[in-house]
Amino acid sequence: MSFALSPARPLRLPPVLAAVAVLAVLALPLAPGGDGESGAGPADAVSALVVLYAALRAVRERRRPLSATAAVVLGMPVVGLAVAAMGAASPGAGLTGLGRYLQVFVLVPAAVVLLVRDRADFRLLAWSFVGLAVWQGAVGVHQYVTGTGASYQGELIRAVGTFGPQDVMGMATVVSFGLVCALGLALGRAPVRQRVAAGACALGLLLPLAVSFSRGAWIATVLTCAVQLVLAGLRRALKVAAVAVAAGVVLVGGFGIGTAMLQERLSSIGQVTDAPDQSVVDRYTLWAAATGMWRQHPVTGVGLKNFPAYRDGHASLALSSGSDTEGAGAAFRKQPLLSPHDMYLLVLSEQGLLGLLALAGSWLALLVCGLRGLWRMQGGAGLDCALVACGLLIWQLVDFAYADIGGPSTVLTAVVFGVVAWWALVGAAE
């Protein structure tokens, strides 16, 4: 008797690992320095390869890559971007700005939609966000404890992870995304062990988020987590809220996390109009400058990458020359204020109403479709995916009121929009 030997099946890795690779690269330390303007880094190069891989995979499989609805929703920003690019100061600046916006809001999100096959892939990507957040948070807490972080009020205690002081919001953004994903996974219908692990990660990420000293990230995270808890059900919301309060008491009372600087930073959220510090004054001044640009060019804006050129003509004398950055392995430097630190006002000033309506319309469509899918998933197996996707989008939309795109961590925003788009346009219908 003879036995035919069957050839070994080749190991097939899930395509979503290409998107996970972008997050993995963001875990690597960045070289200190840079001008802080383009913010392009290794993760951006990997994201370009991911887009190429997704396109080649779609061509090889000879299938329609995106549905008509997905193509319209993800392609809406292109019109406003093309018009604003033509109004740039130079062709090079126009192409650079156009490429950045297409990367973050069109190409990478579309690639993620193509690479995520099912909810199992979605959960793998969500856990990757949590893993990246835990790593960056651990680095940030070490910086805070050892005094090797970025400068904050003259002390090197601000947690910035591997991003350095030039992207001071990078770690806070990563940790916030991880916390939102962990909470969504904990509130789902997964096995108890996975939900307990996700809940533990969410509680553990509160500490690095606190020592990031990022008021915008705090506000966005608190609002998002509150919405996630409400959407998951009142009874579960009360249980999780009680655990979060207990954890806060342990952190503040038991481990002494409530330092005077942290308490001062927290209390300053309610004092931004009464006694604003220089950073708040700069932000208000930049917002006023962006509004002035829009009033002069209401339909198409001043053109991509043109905010710095028009800034001084619309800003008051209260605007400082830049923000001081140092620490975390980088020397002291004055970082110029090249954007209004408000995504909506940045788009409004550079792209006008045309660009803002196109971008905001795309985001609103994703939010409506995502929430509609969440409503259908109440009590179902896909509730965790719905809570993660809707939570990430809500966090990003809230944070855009205090921040805009720029820096090495920006590519993470592109992946987030891809995660949201998959759930809103594909996963919710499964």
Side-chain angles (χ1 to χ4, degrees), residues 45-59:
V46 174
S47 73
L49 295 176
V50 169
V51 172
L52 180 61
Y53 169 67
L56 292 176
R57 187 169 177 271
V59 171

Side-chain angles (χ1 to χ4, degrees), residues 95-120:
L95 289 175
T96 301
L98 179 63
R100 189 60 153 170
Y101 275 95
L102 289 178
Q103 173 203 19
V104 177
F105 299 115
V106 180
L107 297 178
V108 173
V112 174
V113 171
L114 295 175
L115 296 175
V116 176
R117 301 170 302 179
D118 50 31
R119 291 173 186 169

Side-chain angles (χ1 to χ4, degrees), residues 144 152-155 157 210-215 218 252 257-272 275-280:
Y144 174 78
Y152 178 75
Q153 293 189 3
E155 297 187 34
I157 59 171
V211 296
S212 71
F213 293 97
S214 173
R215 292 173 293 198
W218 293 348
V252 175
I257 301 303
T259 64
M261 286 186 179
L262 188 58
Q263 294 174 2
E264 179 185 352
R265 187 70 165 177
L266 186 62
S267 62
S268 69
I269 295 176
Q271 301 172 353
V272 291
D277 55 30
Q278 186 58 48
S279 65
V280 175

Side-chain angles (χ1 to χ4, degrees), residues 7 12 24-25 77 95 99-100 102 127 149 190 254 344-345 349 352 381 395 398 421 423:
R12 293 184 178 274
V25 174
L95 289 175
R100 189 60 153 170
L102 289 178
W127 276 108
Y344 305 106
L345 289 178
S349 61
W395 189 95
V398 174
W423 169 255

Side-chain angles (χ1 to χ4, degrees), residues 208-405:
L209 181 63
V211 296
S212 71
F213 293 97
S214 173
R215 292 173 293 198
W218 293 348
I219 294 172
T221 303
V222 169
L223 291 177
T224 300
C225 291
V227 172
Q228 285 180 301
L229 290 172
V230 171
L231 292 175
L234 182 59
R235 181 180 300 178
R236 306 183 74 192
L238 292 176
K239 291 181 180 178
V240 176
V243 173
V245 171
V249 172
V250 171
L251 288 175
V252 175
F255 294 100
I257 301 303
T259 64
M261 286 186 179
L262 188 58
Q263 294 174 2
E264 179 185 352
R265 187 70 165 177
L266 186 62
S267 62
S268 69
I269 295 176
Q271 301 172 353
V272 291
T273 56
D274 298 333
D277 55 30
Q278 186 58 48
S279 65
V280 175
V281 172
D282 287 339
R283 185 157 300 189
Y284 286 162
T285 306
L286 291 168
W287 288 357
T291 305
M293 296 177 200
W294 168 68
R295 289 198 183 101
Q296 287 191 354
H297 306 271
V299 179
T300 58
V302 298
L304 289 182
K305 308 287 286 185
N306 274 352
F307 181 88
Y310 284 79
R311 181 197 63 186
D312 293 342
H314 293 83
S316 68
L317 296 178
L319 182 66
S320 66
S321 58
S323 58
D324 299 338
T325 62
E326 66 175 324
F332 173 84
R333 70 186 297 269
K334 182 76 71 172
Q335 189 165 355
L337 303 174
L338 302 176
S339 73
H341 295 284
D342 182 304
M343 190 65 200
Y344 305 106
L345 289 178
L346 176 62
V347 174
L348 191 64
S349 61
E350 293 190 342
Q351 302 178 42
L353 280 175
L354 179 63
L356 182 61
L357 290 176
L359 264 175
S362 176
W363 302 338
L364 181 60
L366 292 176
L367 181 61
V368 170
C369 293
L371 289 175
R372 185 175 59 185
L374 186 149
W375 182 259
R376 291 202 298 262
M377 285 297 116
Q378 290 297 333
L383 179 61
D384 54 344
C385 300
L387 291 173
V388 167
C390 294
L392 288 174
L393 182 57
I394 292 171
W395 189 95
Q396 191 63 77
L397 296 181
V398 174
D399 185 70
F400 273 165
Y402 308 95
D404 47 49
I405 59 174

